[in-house]
Amino acid sequence: MNKYYLTTPLYYVNAKPHVGHAYTNIIADCMARFKRLEGRDVFLLTGTDEHGEKIKKIATESGEDVEKFVDRFSDNFKKLWEKLNVSYDFFIRTTCDFHKEVVKKIILSLHQKGDIYRKKYKGYYCIPCESFWTEFQLKRSAECPDCSRAVDILEEDNYFFKLSKYQDWLIKYLKSNTDFVRPKTRYNEVLSFLEKNTLEDLCISRLKKRLSWGIDFPLDDNYVVYVWFDALANYISGIGFGSNEKKFKSLWPADIHFMAKDILRHHAIFWPIMLKALDIEPPRVIFAHGWWKFEGEKMSKTRGNIVNPLDLIAALSKSLSRDDQIAVDALRYFLLREVPLGLDGTFSWSALVNRINSDLANDLGNLVFRTLNMAEKYLQGQVCPKDHELPSEFKESIVGLDKKYLDRMNRCEFSCALEEVFKFISVMNKYIEDTKPWVLWKENKEDKIKSFLYSLLEGIRIISLHIYPVMPTVAESINRQLGLDGKPFVLHNKTWANQKKFRIKKESPLFPRIDVD
Ligand code: ME8
């Protein structure tokens, strides 16, 4: 199977995107680019979740027509993905007509199957989260378990989806597919939740008189569809389910759904059950990463402690005196290198600057700049030696890249994969110190200088291939400076001596050091 289908959550359009949202899409983009390097036919889906009363309320409060409001906010996300070089294939909006039709079809089909029924609901309801809660689920009396705000007591007729019917199936499925939810801590969390609790059926309708900004409930004009039921369906509607079966069949099941741990329950419980009820195969992996925190708290619009990625890129670009795209790569590198995927991270300007200075300026930037300098100074930028032998000093790193990098990238362990790349960079920096090319130069050992520089340039080329999923602009810049513009980024080219000669076109250093004040 050559296809690789991956998704991000659909973000709410009630506020501007922050670093947390950027993080998930950078992760997804990194995986998408890596899979393209491997030669896979990648499809990356992202988009926005635009229904729900809180969105309508904010639009109304700001005096704007709700359609215009969601267009504008959805656009903020699109623009950010373009800025961050997120190579998505389709941007889905839950307000698109084709998506609404699919959601209606799903409800009709589940109803026909007997998995949707109507009953009187009496219990607790959180208006801001649009969630129903049982007494057992409330953490403290009358407080929403998700947002800690006061819940209301409600009594009304509603439509329910039979989650409980599929609980045993899901437990069995999880037990025989231990990689279905990742990382392991999240898998254990989901399994133990299912083993210790009885699932309540899911209320999938909301009365229109209370919540009107949603998809019309196809079984009853008085209701709209619950936002989560609507939003989760995007993962199939966005690739043609119900409209283009050929496309759908060629892409489903999703190879990986990325999100943070806050919405794990919806993805690891509601979603596979919805699919099972529809006789559709579950996705292969649900990966819930950790949270970026700022000043000790989860970065979120409710807390107001958000870091705006566009401001950050502008500040970084100024501090580096480099264009935005280099700043974007520095940010992408920081987010993926600093914290192993799955754990929480604490965001700070000083951590970002330290990471850039030590890894990107001192190690990578320095290696590239001084190697290209030497190639120009000693060989007029033309490096084409007789000998293409891999230096013994490089062997371990090359083997590491071959085995560990691939394995780690495939397991979404981006930080560890980058560690392998940077080990090789350190080896090359040490190789320069140990070889002392300036001595070879004084002694007129031109052949030795040629093979020494060839080894470094070939090593740098291999590095650029491996950093491409994380820092595409930097990788392209390195290739350009090596005289290899247009050489495709494919893992196939990673073998030693794949490139026999280099024509250097040196540019200014990739990453200058940023002053720490
Ligand atoms: O939940 N750290 O949308 P949302 C890391 N519409 N990631 C973070 C983060 C943080 N501090 N804050 C947000 C919704 N995220 C629903 C999803 S999907 C069918 C519907 C990222 O706008 C992370 O991916 O609240 C998290 O799961 C998502 O944004 C929540 O986005």
Side-chain angles (χ1 to χ4, degrees):
M1 232 342 168
N2 202 37
K3 68 91 191 172
Y4 191 87
Y5 171 41
L6 71 170
T7 69
T8 75
L10 295 200
Y11 303 107
Y12 289 128
V13 287
N14 56 353
K16 283 191 182 163
H18 59 69
V19 162
H21 302 115
Y23 184 49
T24 316
N25 276 40
I26 289 170
I27 289 169
D29 182 61
C30 172
M31 199 55 171
R33 285 176 190 272
F34 171 67
K35 288 290 160 188
R36 287 191 204 107
L37 278 188
E38 283 194 325
R40 302 283 288 267
D41 221 341
V42 173
F43 195 91
L44 168 54
L45 183 72
T46 190
T48 40
D49 187 357
E50 305 186 4
H51 290 125
E53 213 47 22
K54 58 185 166 189
I55 289 166
K56 185 172 174 202
K57 193 166 166 257
I58 295 174
T60 317
E61 278 168 7
S62 64
E64 197 168 352
D65 176 69
V66 65
E67 267 108 4
K68 285 213 181 100
F69 178 89
V70 295
D71 282 353
R72 198 159 57 80
F73 272 81
S74 178
D75 237 37
N76 288 334
F77 283 91
K78 252 192 192 159
K79 283 186 189 137
L80 180 62
W81 307 147
E82 268 140 41
K83 187 78 170 179
L84 293 175
N85 236 332
V86 173
S87 54
Y88 63 84
D89 294 281
F90 188 59
F91 189 99
I92 183 167
R93 302 178 58 186
T94 55
T95 48
C96 294
D97 286 342
F98 77 88
H99 171 76
K100 291 191 211 167
E101 287 315 306
V102 170
V103 172
K104 287 181 194 166
K105 273 191 205 160
I106 290 177
I107 289 178
L108 291 174
S109 132
L110 293 177
H111 182 246
Q112 211 169 31
K113 212 180 156 189
D115 282 344
I116 288 179
Y117 64 96
R118 184 183 166 122
K119 76 164 183 192
K120 185 164 289 302
Y121 171 84
K122 185 166 186 252
Y124 301 94
Y125 187 67
C126 172
I127 297 177
C129 292
E130 286 149 17
S131 293
F132 288 97
W133 298 106
T134 59
E135 184 146 15
F136 168 75
Q137 287 171 310
L138 295 185
K139 268 191 263 167
R140 268 174 254 152
S141 57
E143 251 185 30
C144 169
D146 273 355
C147 71
S148 305
R149 280 176 278 213
V151 287
D152 288 2
I153 293 181
L154 207 78
E155 185 173 350
E156 65 188 30
D157 266 19
N158 264 308
Y159 289 85
F160 286 80
F161 169 54
K162 285 188 185 166
L163 273 190
S164 55
K165 176 175 158 190
Y166 297 95
Q167 177 159 4
D168 290 343
W169 165 78
L170 187 55
I171 293 177
K172 274 200 200 114
Y173 187 81
L174 276 161
K175 285 189 170 165
S176 49
N177 294 276
T178 51
D179 254 357
F180 178 54
V181 176
R182 296 190 47 217
K184 202 79 199 154
T185 42
R186 302 291 160 225
Y187 171 86
N188 293 337
E189 201 177 291
V190 173
L191 186 57
S192 101
F193 174 84
L194 285 168
E195 287 182 324
K196 288 188 190 140
N197 298 282
T198 304
L199 286 181
E200 302 260 337
D201 288 342
L202 183 67
C203 177
I204 57 163
S205 61
R206 295 294 185 268
L207 258 183
K208 257 189 199 162
K209 66 175 185 213
R210 202 179 44 246
L211 195 159
S212 59
W213 181 241
I215 300 178
D216 286 336
F217 202 79
L219 300 167
D220 193 326
D221 280 350
N222 295 311
Y223 296 86
V224 294
V225 179
Y226 169 46
V227 275
W228 269 102
F229 203 84
D230 155 3
L232 285 166
N234 93 86
Y235 298 133
I236 54 176
S237 73
I239 54 161
F241 179 78
S243 60
N244 182 346
E245 284 306 299
K246 191 166 167 238
K247 182 175 178 191
F248 174 66
K249 286 211 174 94
S250 72
L251 288 169
W252 192 261
D255 291 274
I256 194 159
H257 290 312
F258 283 113
M259 78 225 57
K261 57 188 177 180
D262 50 340
I263 52 177
L264 176 63
R265 191 163 39 110
H266 307 79
H267 284 83
I269 298 179
F270 301 172
W271 181 228
I273 291 184
M274 278 167 72
L275 291 165
K276 174 71 183 164
L278 289 164
D279 289 322
I280 299 174
E281 218 183 309
R284 297 223 161 94
V285 175
I286 287 166
F287 198 112
H289 61 72
W291 284 330
W292 277 99
K293 299 184 172 186
F294 190 63
E295 290 161 355
E297 293 241 52
K298 180 194 170 212
M299 214 183 277
S300 82
K301 52 204 168 239
T302 326
R303 293 187 181 90
N305 61 345
I306 61 170
V307 177
N308 180 333
L310 293 176
D311 295 346
L312 198 57
I313 291 161
L316 260 184
S317 147
K318 194 165 166 226
S319 304
L320 285 166
S321 314
R322 291 290 175 272
D323 69 27
D324 280 2
Q325 285 309 304
I326 292 289
V328 163
D329 275 15
L331 176 63
R332 290 171 61 114
Y333 176 77
F334 169 77
L335 293 174
L336 296 179
R337 175 66 183 91
E338 192 72 3
V339 179
L341 214 64
L343 303 183
D344 290 346
T346 295
F347 188 87
S348 73
W349 177 256
S350 64
L352 175 66
V353 167
N354 285 339
R355 194 42 96 179
I356 294 174
N357 281 347
S358 72
D359 298 7
L360 300 182
N362 277 6
D363 296 350
L364 173 64
N366 207 9
L367 170 69
V368 173
F369 195 68
R370 61 182 173 156
T371 302
L372 298 187
N373 248 346
M374 288 189 283
E376 283 193 334
K377 181 171 166 199
Y378 301 147
L379 302 172
Q380 297 75 49
Q382 310 264 355
V383 184
C384 176
K386 290 190 208 105
D387 157 28
H388 299 123
E389 214 173 293
L390 176 70
S392 56
E393 293 89 331
F394 291 10
K395 275 190 184 133
E396 205 183 313
S397 309
I398 293 281
V399 172
L401 281 185
D402 253 354
K403 297 227 165 68
K404 294 187 201 151
Y405 172 89
L406 293 186
D407 180 54
R408 285 165 184 173
M409 289 298 282
N410 272 313
R411 293 202 52 81
C412 307
E413 293 167 359
F414 302 131
S415 181
C416 297
L418 285 168
E419 220 176 301
E420 286 309 312
V421 178
F422 277 75
K423 268 189 209 159
F424 187 25
I425 291 174
S426 299
V427 164
M428 282 197 272
N429 275 324
K430 183 164 182 304
Y431 179 62
I432 300 177
E433 301 307 320
D434 293 349
T435 310
K436 300 189 177 54
W438 47 93
V439 176
L440 298 178
W441 177 247
K442 269 194 204 141
E443 293 170 355
N444 282 327
K445 295 188 170 151
E446 191 164 334
D447 277 353
K448 281 206 167 150
I449 289 194
K450 277 186 183 165
S451 59
F452 159 79
L453 277 173
Y454 172 80
S455 297
L456 289 174
L457 294 169
E458 184 60 354
I460 290 171
R461 183 188 67 80
I462 289 173
I463 293 287
S464 89
L465 198 59
H466 289 79
I467 59 171
Y468 171 78
V470 180
M471 296 189 281
T473 304
V474 169
E476 273 156 15
S477 160
I478 292 176
N479 259 17
R480 211 170 42 242
Q481 300 190 56
L482 294 178
L484 308 175
D485 346 20
K487 183 157 176 141
F489 286 98
V490 281
L491 274 180
H492 183 70
N493 286 342
K494 73 183 160 63
T495 45
W496 184 259
N498 177 285
Q499 184 66 33
K500 306 281 185 235
K501 60 176 175 208
F502 295 93
R503 280 173 204 279
I504 304 308
K505 297 177 204 157
K506 186 163 64 72
E507 297 169 11
S508 45
L510 288 167
F511 293 100
R513 277 185 69 82
I514 298 178
D515 284 339
V516 189
D517 43 31

